[in-house]
Amino acid sequence: MLSSTLNKALNDQIVMEAYASSYYLSLASWCDQKGFPGTAAFFYAQAEEEREHMMKIFMFVNENEGQAISPGVNEPPADFENVGQCFEIALGHEKKVTASINNIMKLAREENDFRTMNLMQWFVDEQLEEETQMQLIIDKLKLIGDNGVGLYMLDGEMAERAATKEEEEE
Ligand code: FEO
C-alpha cells in the first residue's frame, strides 16, 4: 500500500504530467497557426504522450491502494516568439519534471517502496530520452538561426519524428 507521502507526491506528479500535456497542446496549436505543420504534429504527439504518462501514474496509484486525484490544470501561455522558444520552453519543463521524478525516487527509496521505485525508474529513462531529444532539436535550431529554408527542412524532419512516435505507440 502506498504511504500518504508517496500518494501525495504521485498526485502532484499527475498534475505535472497533465500540465505538460496541456502545454504541448498549446505549443502545437501555435506551430499549426504559424505554418509549421511538422513541428505541430510533433507537439501534438508529445501532448498525447504526456497524457499517457499521467495515466500510467494514475492507474498505478489506484492499483496500489492509493487514491488518484483527477487533476485541475492551469491554462498555459498561447503565444510564443518563435519555434526556438517553443523548444526552449519544452526542455525547461522537462527538466522540472526530471527533478520531480528524481525526488519521488528518493522518497520511494527512503521507504523501501520497490514498486514505486520500479515505476520511477521507467520515468527516469523516459526523461533522459525526452531531454536529449529536445536538446538535439535546440542545437539544430541554433545552427539554422532564422534561415527560412533551414526552418522549412527542420519542420519536415519534425513531421517524420511525429510519425515515428505514432508508429511506436501502435
Ligand atoms: Fe512526462 Fe515529458 O514528462
Side-chain angles (χ1 to χ4, degrees), residues 2 26 48 53 62-63 70 91 102 108 116 122 126 141 148 159:
L2 276 175
S26 190
E48 291 291 330
H53 292 173
N62 282 342
E63 279 163 12
S70 181
L91 178 61
N102 289 345
T116 302
W122 185 90
E126 178 71 11
L141 276 161

Side-chain angles (χ1 to χ4, degrees), residues 8-28:
K8 171 159 190 333
L10 290 168
N11 271 325
D12 289 346
Q13 192 63 35
I14 286 169
V15 173
M16 223 171 177
E17 302 290 342
Y19 185 61
S21 180
S22 180
Y23 214 125
Y24 277 123
L25 198 55
S26 190
L27 293 171

Side-chain angles (χ1 to χ4, degrees), residues 19-143:
Y19 185 61
S21 180
S22 180
Y23 214 125
Y24 277 123
L25 198 55
S26 190
L27 293 171
S29 181
W30 185 87
C31 290
D32 233 351
Q33 293 159 49
K34 301 293 176 184
F36 298 102
T39 310
F42 174 81
F43 283 134
Y44 281 127
Q46 277 294 128
E48 291 291 330
E49 222 172 275
E50 297 301 349
R51 185 177 155 79
E52 283 167 21
H53 292 173
M54 180 193 89
M55 289 309 298
K56 200 174 176 82
I57 301 170
F58 200 96
M59 302 310 281
F60 174 87
V61 170
N62 282 342
E63 279 163 12
N64 284 278
E65 298 170 62
Q67 186 186 12
I69 307 288
S70 181
V73 180
N74 292 330
E75 191 176 311
D79 286 311
F80 308 98
E81 285 169 21
N82 49 44
V83 175
Q85 192 203 18
C86 292
F87 282 98
E88 292 284 359
I89 288 170
L91 178 61
H93 198 265
E94 290 301 341
K95 284 185 175 173
K96 281 188 200 156
V97 170
T98 299
S100 177
I101 294 288
N102 289 345
N103 185 51
I104 300 173
M105 178 65 111
K106 182 170 156 280
L107 293 173
R109 197 188 285 147
E110 282 165 8
E111 292 185 17
N112 285 334
D113 182 331
F114 300 112
R115 285 183 186 166
T116 302
M117 283 167 68
N118 196 34
L119 178 73
M120 287 302 109
Q121 187 58 53
W122 185 90
F123 277 92
V124 167
D125 295 342
E126 178 71 11
Q127 284 309 116
L128 175 63
E129 207 177 285
E130 295 210 329
E131 282 188 33
T132 305
Q133 174 176 244
M134 294 302 172
Q135 189 60 62
L136 186 83
I137 299 163
I138 287 169
D139 291 346
K140 285 188 182 186
L141 276 161
K142 280 183 184 155
L143 282 175

